[in-house]
């Protein structure tokens, strides 16, 4: 018997969300902090060139998977597993909305300034400070994902265990 669309989509979401959270937190914590160090050795123009190239490399590794994860989350509107609480879906979508709002309103414009040669410690401080909205979205999303995964797989395991328990009981 093939898994249902809701099963496949939810498992895909779990995998993508885990990947994106890890990749984004690593990029945001390690990368942003490294930029401060790198800025001491490069002129603003050199930093802009480096930032533009490095930024284009994050698109396939981080940005596209995040877009796909959000699209899968939206797809779950139609294929949400019935035994999961609906508030979980709305919570996940709210986290995505917060992350994308922060990205579009704060991080993207600030990073575009870096691409134009406006490197400064103050700009990096602003980037780091505003990025906590995005980090907050991930830090709220992942415990919800864990809870929903436990409910999702726990319910499946419980159903299988209950069904097979009738046959596994030794006969006296």
């Amino acid at each position: 018997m093939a898994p249902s669309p809701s099963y496949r989509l939810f498992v895909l979401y779990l995998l993508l969300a885990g990947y994106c959270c890890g990749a984004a937190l690593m990029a945001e914590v390690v990368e942003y902090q490294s930029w401060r160090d790198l800025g001491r050795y490069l002129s603003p123009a050199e930093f802009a060139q480096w930032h533009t190239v490095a930024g284009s490399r994050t698109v396939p590794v981080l940005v596209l998977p995040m877009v796909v994860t959000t699209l899968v989350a939206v797809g779950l509107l139609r294929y949400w597993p019935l035994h999961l609480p609906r508030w979980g879906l709305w919570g996940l979508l709210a986290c995505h909305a917060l992350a994308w709002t922060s990205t579009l309103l704060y991080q993207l414009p600030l990073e575009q300034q870096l691409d134009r040669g406006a490197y400064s410690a103050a700009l990096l401080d602003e980037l780091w400070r505003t990025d906590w909205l995005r980090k907050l979205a991930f830090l709220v999303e992942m415990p919800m994902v864990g809870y929903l995964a436990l409910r999702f797989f726990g319910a499946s395991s419980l159903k299988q265990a209950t069904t097979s328990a009738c046959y596994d009981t030794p006969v006296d």
Side-chain angles (χ1 to χ4, degrees):
M1 180 179 208
S4 68
S6 65
Y7 179 91
R8 288 192 302 261
L9 205 58
F10 188 74
V11 170
L12 178 61
Y13 181 80
L14 294 177
L15 295 171
L16 285 168
Y19 169 82
C20 288
C21 179
L25 289 175
M26 190 285 306
E28 293 164 12
V29 172
V30 174
E31 194 173 65
Y32 284 4
Q33 291 303 305
S34 298
W35 293 354
R36 184 176 307 283
D37 297 333
L38 190 57
R40 291 186 216 145
Y41 303 104
L42 300 175
S43 70
E46 291 169 324
F47 184 89
Q49 288 176 328
W50 174 85
H51 184 264
T52 301
V53 171
S56 69
R57 292 180 182 153
T58 64
V59 170
V61 176
L62 182 58
V63 177
L64 289 178
M66 288 177 72
V67 168
V68 171
T69 304
T70 300
L71 292 175
V72 170
V74 170
L76 285 169
L77 283 166
R78 176 155 164 73
Y79 292 107
W80 187 248
L82 294 177
H83 62 280
L84 293 181
R86 195 80 173 164
W87 64 259
L89 174 60
W90 297 113
L92 297 177
L93 291 170
C95 289
H96 284 268
L98 178 61
W100 284 111
T101 299
S102 175
T103 298
L104 296 173
L105 292 181
Y106 298 111
Q107 279 69 50
L108 189 59
L110 293 170
E111 290 205 32
Q112 287 172 338
Q113 290 180 43
L114 291 171
D115 285 345
R116 291 191 299 268
Y119 178 89
S120 71
L123 181 60
L124 287 181
D125 288 344
E126 181 73 4
L127 188 62
W128 179 255
R129 187 182 59 75
T130 59
D131 194 53
W132 277 101
L133 292 172
R134 216 166 30 178
K135 286 185 202 68
L136 176 65
F138 286 120
L139 294 173
V140 169
E141 177 189 20
M142 290 318 296
M144 280 195 308
V145 165
Y147 169 78
L148 292 168
L150 285 173
R151 290 275 310 257
F152 182 78
F153 291 112
S156 299
S157 299
L158 180 61
K159 184 178 179 183
Q160 289 174 355
T162 305
T163 305
S164 64
C166 299
Y167 303 103
D168 293 337
T169 306
V171 178
D172 287 11

